[in-house]
Amino acid sequence: MKHELPKLPYSYDALEPHIDAQTMEIHHSKHHQGYVDNLNKALEKYPGLQSRSVEDLLSALHSLKVEEGDRAAIQNNGGGHANHSLFWTLMGAKKELDRGLAGEIESAFGDVAKFKELFTTAATTRFGSGWAWLVKDENNKLQIYSTANQDSPLTLGHTPLIGLDVWEHAYYLKYQNKRADYISAWWSALKLL
Ligand code: MN3
């Protein structure tokens, strides 16, 4: 079984003006496709791993019986595939506030506004390329942090709930070096909160 690029659940221009159509098209059809292709390439030597989901591969990353170079390729490209697959589903037309999630956020961080502030700081201060995350950790507690590159919280035994891509490819066409402006626009594209 080969991994495949998931369809976007909306059109490339659906997140305008917050995220522009050209960025969405390149991000999805070139960057995400590249992670999928390179993940498939990394798994060519390992037929036993080819039927496992990308989430499963990342959760088991450190115990996979693979060469170290291939482990790094699975970390980077499997992470890229899983992270973006989640990312697309988080955005879209605003839905009614998810009371379950909001309630958990309130008990963990005080209120949704405080959560947004902490998450924004994690996204703003990630040096270089990476992601900001809201995760459920191994004790079922919510945590906010960032990871470098395409590193997935799944490799730490955590379940990602909300992820924000802060690679320049996610915003450079519209926002250039102004990552903070992109992050603030992204909150408007997030459908959950
Ligand atoms: Mn990206």
Side-chain angles (χ1 to χ4, degrees), residues 27 84 131 150 165 167 169:
H27 200 175
H84 289 85
W131 290 72
Q150 293 295 350
D165 189 344
W167 283 56
H169 70 224

Coordinates of all heavy atoms in Angstrom, one line a residue, residues 27 84 131 150 165 167 169, ligand 1:
H27 N 1.6 24.5 -1.4 CA 1.8 23.9 -0.1 C 1.2 22.4 -0.2 O 1.9 21.5 0.2 CB 1.1 24.7 1.0 CG 1.6 24.4 2.4 ND1 1.2 25.1 3.5 CD2 2.5 23.5 2.8 CE1 1.8 24.6 4.5 NE2 2.6 23.6 4.2
H84 N 0.8 17.6 7.9 CA 0.0 18.3 6.9 C -1.4 17.7 6.8 O -2.4 18.5 6.6 CB 0.7 18.4 5.6 CG 1.9 19.3 5.6 ND1 3.1 18.9 6.0 CD2 2.0 20.6 5.3 CE1 4.0 19.9 5.9 NE2 3.3 21.0 5.5
W131 N 6.8 23.5 13.8 CA 5.3 23.5 14.1 C 5.1 23.8 15.5 O 5.9 23.5 16.4 CB 4.7 22.1 13.9 CG 4.7 21.7 12.4 CD1 5.8 21.3 11.6 CD2 3.5 21.6 11.6 NE1 5.3 21.0 10.4 CE2 4.0 21.1 10.3 CE3 2.2 21.8 11.8 CZ2 3.1 20.9 9.3 CZ3 1.3 21.6 10.8 CH2 1.8 21.2 9.5
Q150 N 9.9 18.6 10.7 CA 8.6 18.0 10.6 C 8.4 17.0 11.7 O 7.6 16.0 11.6 CB 8.5 17.3 9.2 CG 8.4 18.2 8.0 CD 7.2 19.1 8.0 OE1 6.2 18.9 8.8 NE2 7.2 20.1 7.1
D165 N 1.7 25.1 11.1 CA 2.9 25.0 10.3 C 3.6 26.4 10.3 O 2.9 27.3 9.8 CB 2.5 24.6 8.9 CG 3.7 24.3 8.0 OD1 4.8 24.7 8.3 OD2 3.4 23.6 6.9
W167 N 6.7 26.8 8.9 CA 7.8 26.8 7.9 C 7.5 28.0 7.0 O 6.3 28.4 6.7 CB 7.7 25.6 7.0 CG 8.3 24.3 7.6 CD1 7.9 23.8 8.8 CD2 9.3 23.5 7.0 NE1 8.7 22.6 9.0 CE2 9.5 22.4 7.9 CE3 10.0 23.5 5.8 CZ2 10.4 21.4 7.6 CZ3 10.9 22.5 5.5 CH2 11.1 21.5 6.4
H169 N 7.5 28.2 3.9 CA 6.7 27.8 2.7 C 5.2 28.0 3.0 O 4.4 28.0 2.1 CB 7.0 26.4 2.2 CG 6.6 25.3 3.0 ND1 7.5 24.2 3.3 CD2 5.5 25.0 3.7 CE1 6.8 23.3 4.1 NE2 5.6 23.8 4.3
Ligands
MN3_1 MN 4.2 22.8 5.3

